[in-house]
Amino acid sequence: MTRKSNKSWESFKRILPYFLAAAVTLSIVALGSINKNESGSTLSLDSFAKNDYDISVDQLSEMYVVADLSNSLGLASASDVASNYVVTTSMYDAGQTATGKLEKPSITNIAVSRGVIEHVVADGETIDSIANKYNVTTDQIRWSNNLKTGDITVGNVLYIPSVPGIVYTVKAGESVESIAAKYGSNATEIIALNDLEVSGAKEGARIVIKNGTLPETERPEYVAPRPASTTYRSGNTYHYSYVGSNSERQNITVVGRIYGLGGPYGAGQCTQWAWSKRRDLPSTLGNANTWAARAAAAGYLVNRTPSAGAVFQTSSGWYGHVGYVEGVNDDGSITVTEMNYGYSPYLVIRATIPASAVGNFNYIH
């Protein structure tokens, strides 16, 4: 071999590694440029769906390299390749192998996580058929879309979790960890499913809470219970001699527990309620059993005749008892409100004292 030939061979050996690397790169790029709908593409989403293949980590890595190179070289198919990679990643995370289970993800709307499917209700669809299509429950769809019932309308856009769980809108001050703890999920899974590794949970973003469930009070169908109320019909009478009077109470209705009235008398006691209704009374009347005598000494009219707006009082019992006369009825009975009747602090009731018992009390006018 001549010296010239030896020099050519040495030069070729030096560039051989670069030539081989270029050939491999071009092969990968060519693979990424294959039409995604052609059956010959080993990375076609249709082939995954048709053959029910499992998506492996190696395949995800390969698609990432292809997408990155296609984008770097400005190939015409770069957007298709990138879309394939995003959808395949979603399928891998969701454990799905059929393209029919996933709507195309929104990769431009940062307010909607890729784990959230935006489904437009088609003619003939019901919430049950949609739930079956995406392998979630009807409750999960309702809760994700703040629907009180399962009624849906053609053309409506529904947010569907890509895995069993709920679609949730992040509120101010919340973190992935606090959301996971409150709604019964796993923070790591929420981060992975919604690509929150860098951005975290931002206020206003819709994310999927895998296996999450709404507390009863946050469900759209929740109806807050009415205030506790119990009414006893006339004839069902109650005798509380230990509160200073054996006078009857009829038609008892629980108004509720009332706090924060303030004033000079004990919180939650009968005296606090009576004074809150008659703030013109002195703050020095003491316990209920001394109210009539001290009010009279202060110049107030005290007698045994009831009138609307008067405070009724008895000095019987350990501390006595006071309440407020709301009105005098045609039959001679009186309607009253009172707190701590029957030793239940802060509890206010409305009741009728029959005409036969009205004379058992003093009335401070």
Side-chain angles (χ1 to χ4, degrees), residues 215-227:
E216 183 179 359
T217 55
E218 292 188 20
R219 298 174 185 178
E221 69 272 21
Y222 173 74
V223 177
R226 294 180 179 179

Side-chain angles (χ1 to χ4, degrees), residues 40 85 170 173-174 211 271 311:
Y85 171 68
V170 180
E174 290 183 319
N211 297 323
T271 48
V311 170

Side-chain angles (χ1 to χ4, degrees), residues 120 152 329 337:
V120 180
I152 55 177
N329 305 313
T337 55

Side-chain angles (χ1 to χ4, degrees), residues 32-37 45 63 67 70 75-87:
S33 300
I34 295 175
N35 189 317
K36 65 178 179 178
N37 293 318
L45 295 183
M63 294 194 79
S70 298
L75 297 180
S77 61
S79 61
D80 287 338
V81 176
S83 178
N84 274 358
Y85 171 68
V86 172
V87 175

